[in-house]
Amino acid sequence: MMRILHSVSDLRRLARTHRRDGKTLGLVPTMGALHAGHASLIQAAVASCDKVAVSIFVNPTQFGPNEDFSRYPRSFDADCALVSGEGAGVVFAPTVEELYPEGAASFVEVEGLSGRLDGASRPGHFRGVATVVAKLLLAAEPDRVFFGQKDAAQVAVLRRMVTDLRFPTEVVVCPIIREPDGLALSSRNIYLSPEEHRQALVLSRAVRRVEALVAKGQRTASALVSAARRIFAAEPEVRIDYVELVDWATLEPAETALPGTLFAVAAWVGATRLIDNTILA
Ligand code: AMP
């Protein structure tokens, strides 16, 4: 039987009971509108932890004033069915007031990294992400927390936070799940018209192009970035936000592609901002 919890104190009590019983706990933080990408995280958690909690919370502090907080897709009943179907035992679905009590003034700032990649074009975004994930980790004290490589800059920020704040939690990163045509799954893909969906394939094409060039021995960042930009040029209506090769830990620009270097892209397709990336072999 899957339980739905709404308060931090209920989640904390349940997590502590599990720990006392010698059970490991996995946490999968999400904003809901769950798809096969989220399902893969839940599957990884169920496979490696005795108990799994999935949080569903559209976190207002990670949205900018002109972003899509109010129209972000919400599908709570379908989400609960998916979580239950994947065998996770707990959904944690707090209200905004529960996670941000009246007058809330405390935030977690991961300096430096939070201003790079998505953080450069979305000021305050990673402050909101770090803050909400810190709240979830404090409430659940999980043994493992599961994130998708899809949000690679977010992974870098959160790894830094978990290390710096000495959270006793292991960060597990799961591969990007894609549509058969290559588009990385995202809750925001439902915003795309059929024509925009077609245009959006340019992101995964650019990523695959860079993977292919690296496989052939090209290691120079400027050459890889130029090749990716040429792929984007075939879809002039798609507006590039960034095309970058960076060190995955620091998000600082890399001059040479080494194993583990992050190649990441972000672009606007119509009114929808999409991201994609690869960790180079
Ligand atoms: P979100 O609900 O968009 O905040 O995402 C919740 C978690 O699911 C994050 O760790 C994301 O990186 C992960 N995620 C989202 N899309 C995908 C995908 N296509 N493949 C793998 N993980 C994903």
Side-chain angles (χ1 to χ4, degrees):
M1 243 288 281
M2 191 189 74
R3 297 183 58 184
I4 301 176
L5 306 179
H6 298 284
S7 77
V8 167
S9 56
D10 283 350
L11 177 62
R12 180 167 287 140
R13 193 173 310 117
L14 187 85
R16 289 188 173 168
T17 303
H18 286 329
R19 169 149 320 102
R20 225 185 11 253
D21 293 347
K23 305 226 183 296
T24 57
L25 177 66
L27 174 69
V28 182
T30 82
M31 297 206 299
L34 301 183
H35 51 62
H38 301 108
S40 75
L41 268 53
I42 300 170
Q43 287 157 16
V46 167
S48 71
C49 302
D50 299 319
K51 299 280 174 185
V52 172
V54 178
S55 64
I56 296 178
F57 180 66
V58 184
N59 174 35
T61 64
Q62 71 188 71
F63 288 80
N66 298 315
E67 293 184 355
D68 55 346
F69 174 69
S70 54
R71 68 183 188 111
Y72 192 83
R74 288 161 171 88
S75 54
F76 188 68
D77 293 344
D79 292 349
C80 287
L82 184 147
V83 171
S84 169
E86 296 297 347
V90 179
V91 163
F92 178 54
T95 60
V96 171
E97 295 70 31
E98 178 66 13
L99 281 198
Y100 295 95
E102 161 129 41
S106 307
F107 292 87
V108 177
E109 184 83 54
V110 180
E111 295 184 354
L113 281 81
S114 292
R116 303 200 182 107
L117 298 187
D118 308 279
S121 45
R122 303 183 69 188
H125 171 65
F126 285 132
R127 178 186 196 244
V129 169
T131 299
V132 77
V133 172
K135 288 171 188 262
L136 294 170
L137 294 179
L138 285 166
E141 299 178 278
D143 296 276
R144 298 193 185 88
V145 63
F146 295 80
F147 299 112
Q149 184 201 310
K150 156 86 183 340
D151 297 270
Q154 167 172 290
V155 166
V157 168
L158 294 175
R159 276 185 172 146
R160 187 73 255 165
M161 179 188 79
V162 164
T163 301
D164 290 350
L165 301 185
R166 298 280 188 236
F167 280 105
T169 298
E170 178 192 349
V171 174
V172 181
V173 181
C174 299
I176 303 175
I177 304 299
R178 300 176 178 281
E179 301 271 13
D181 61 16
L183 184 67
L185 292 186
S186 163
S187 302
R188 290 189 168 96
N189 289 353
I190 62 154
Y191 297 150
L192 301 172
S193 69
E195 170 60 10
E196 288 170 339
H197 183 122
R198 190 196 60 70
Q199 293 171 356
L201 298 179
V202 75
L203 280 87
S204 54
R205 272 209 302 280
V207 165
R208 281 203 307 270
R209 177 83 184 130
V210 165
E211 287 174 337
L213 288 172
V214 170
K216 279 197 257 166
Q218 178 58 265
R219 295 268 154 188
T220 307
S222 56
L224 295 169
V225 167
S226 302
R229 284 185 171 271
R230 280 196 295 278
I231 300 284
F232 272 97
E235 291 294 345
E237 289 189 38
V238 173
R239 283 146 28 242
I240 292 175
D241 177 357
Y242 62 73
V243 176
E244 282 197 56
L245 197 76
V246 299
D247 179 299
W248 195 13
T250 63
L251 304 182
E252 306 254 27
E255 277 172 19
T256 308
L258 300 170
T261 302
L262 168 65
F263 173 76
V265 300
W268 290 92
V269 181
T272 306
R273 186 177 174 282
L274 299 175
I275 57 176
D276 204 342
N277 70 81
T278 183
I279 306 300
L280 297 174

